[in-house]
Amino acid sequence: MIQTDTLVHLFAGGCGGTAGAILTCPLEVVKTRLQSSSITLYISEVQLSTVNGASVARVAPPGPVHCFKTILAREGPRSFFRGLAPNLVGVAPSRAIYFAAYSAAKKKLSDVLEPDSTPVHMLSAAMAGFTAITATNPIWLIKTRLQLETRNRGERQMNAIECMRRVYRTDGLRGFYKGMSASYAGISETVIHFAIYEGIKRKLLQSRAHDRMGEEGAVKDISDFVAIMLAAATSKMCASSIAYPHEVIRTRLREEGSKYRSFFQTLVTVPREEGYRALYRGLATHLVRQIPNTAIVMATYEVVVYFLGY
């Protein structure tokens, strides 16, 4: 019974992650480009002719719309799906591992702590995040490297296999785990997200149950899943805004040949060279992508679990 339950959550998490990854990939590419230190691609030729290399980082970074137009003009529409292959390879197992670990941890902790309480949700989310990050970091590093690669329209682009060989040749096996420290720091975002999500969902479903009091054999309808999507979107917006700097730090650590070596060194270097606003570069694009992505993931997960009878 326990094995069947775990498989259901693995399958549901994989379905949700895959749906979200496909629909929001273009925004993911724009966000990653904005987070990187290589901003010269997006500065106009007029600006470049008057700015020397030492002060390029001080030039005001472009916005998401300008970045989007530049990628479209110079690299073509296919570039908006750079990194989708490793994303699809990684997102299903990552989400599956995450949701299965979250469900298992929540059941175990409910035997020790108050069932369905905020501490249970927060600890479960932290344990699930740690498990998923450790298992899938190499996939996300490859995805980030592919999204950061800039080629002009018509030029052959590096594929995932070539990228893996390049990482191994340059940095060895350790190279595949760059940025993992920032991902661990990002567990705080997951903890905040799930604590808020579970609280909102519980209140919404309690309210729905109260409205249906007296109805026999009441079942979930579309409004219940809309409520779940709203809960997921609201909680993710709050969590992402609070913990966003770890996203920028992680991208910098994963850049090829970058000067960034560790989480805290990057956390100090980026504000010193580019100002504190650089730690929030790409936040708007991140929220535009992450909120619908999270709503899609969580709603798909809940729908699959519900229809499989769990």
Side-chain angles (χ1 to χ4, degrees):
M1 190 68 179
I2 294 175
Q3 289 180 340
T4 303
D5 184 54
T6 300
L7 288 173
V8 167
H9 288 283
L10 280 166
F11 179 70
C15 289
T18 300
I22 294 172
L23 294 173
T24 62
C25 188
L27 291 171
E28 170 77 8
V29 172
V30 173
K31 180 206 73 171
T32 303
R33 296 287 180 92
L34 290 173
Q35 289 174 343
S36 74
S37 60
S38 305
I39 64 171
T40 53
L41 173 67
Y42 310 105
I43 303 172
S44 68
E45 294 179 2
V46 175
Q47 287 177 298
L48 284 175
S49 66
T50 60
V51 178
N52 60 40
S55 61
V56 165
R58 290 296 182 182
V59 176
V65 175
H66 179 70
C67 182
F68 185 94
K69 289 179 178 178
T70 303
I71 294 173
L72 182 62
R74 297 189 180 185
E75 303 175 48
R78 290 183 61 184
S79 287
F80 289 115
F81 292 91
R82 296 285 291 150
L84 180 59
N87 208 356
L88 291 179
V89 168
V91 75
S94 175
R95 292 294 184 179
I97 291 168
Y98 183 90
F99 280 109
Y102 179 78
S103 177
K106 190 162 71 170
K107 286 185 178 179
K108 294 290 185 182
L109 291 171
S110 292
D111 294 335
V112 180
L113 303 173
E114 181 185 348
D116 209 33
S117 63
T118 298
V120 168
H121 296 149
M122 294 179 73
L123 288 172
S124 299
M127 294 169 67
F130 184 87
T131 302
I133 288 165
T134 304
T136 60
N137 192 80
I139 299 173
W140 305 134
L141 179 125
I142 297 302
K143 181 204 73 170
T144 301
R145 289 284 180 91
L146 290 175
Q147 289 178 340
L148 290 175
E149 185 194 34
T150 57
R151 297 288 177 90
N152 290 327
R153 188 191 293 263
E155 291 183 346
R156 183 180 176 277
Q157 296 178 326
M158 180 171 58
N159 60 40
I161 300 299
E162 292 171 335
C163 185
M164 290 172 63
R165 290 173 179 167
R166 190 164 174 171
V167 171
Y168 182 75
R169 187 170 59 248
T170 305
D171 301 307
L173 288 176
R174 292 182 61 185
F176 290 100
Y177 291 90
K178 286 186 174 181
M180 194 158 67
S181 59
S183 293
Y184 285 148
I187 291 174
S188 60
E189 177 182 335
T190 303
V191 170
I192 295 167
H193 162 53
F194 265 85
I196 298 174
Y197 169 72
E198 292 283 3
I200 295 175
K201 186 178 77 169
R202 184 170 59 249
K203 294 292 185 183
L204 287 172
L205 295 182
Q206 285 175 353
S207 175
R208 294 287 297 169
H210 181 269
D211 292 341
R212 292 169 177 169
M213 192 175 295
E215 296 181 18
E216 293 185 6
V219 295
K220 288 185 178 180
D221 57 27
I222 189 65
S223 62
D224 289 296
F225 296 111
V226 170
I228 288 170
M229 292 181 73
L230 290 174
T234 302
S235 58
K236 193 63 178 181
M237 181 176 67
C238 295
S240 295
S241 299
I242 294 170
Y244 183 75
H246 90 273
E247 291 261 353
V248 174
I249 293 171
R250 184 173 59 196
T251 296
R252 299 296 180 95
L253 288 171
R254 288 175 176 171
E255 289 178 348
E256 184 176 9
S258 74
K259 59 187 175 184
Y260 305 106
R261 296 290 176 264
S262 68
F263 178 83
F264 289 106
Q265 180 253 351
T266 308
L267 182 62
V268 171
T269 302
V270 171
R272 185 177 65 237
E273 295 183 350
E274 304 173 46
Y276 284 98
R277 291 183 62 183
L279 290 174
Y280 290 89
R281 189 181 298 163
L283 175 59
T285 308
H286 179 68
L287 291 177
V288 169
R289 170 196 171 270
Q290 197 73 307
I291 291 171
N293 180 63
T294 302
I296 293 166
V297 169
M298 298 304 293
T300 304
Y301 170 77
E302 298 281 1
V303 167
V304 173
V305 170
Y306 174 69
F307 280 110
L308 289 178
Y310 284 82

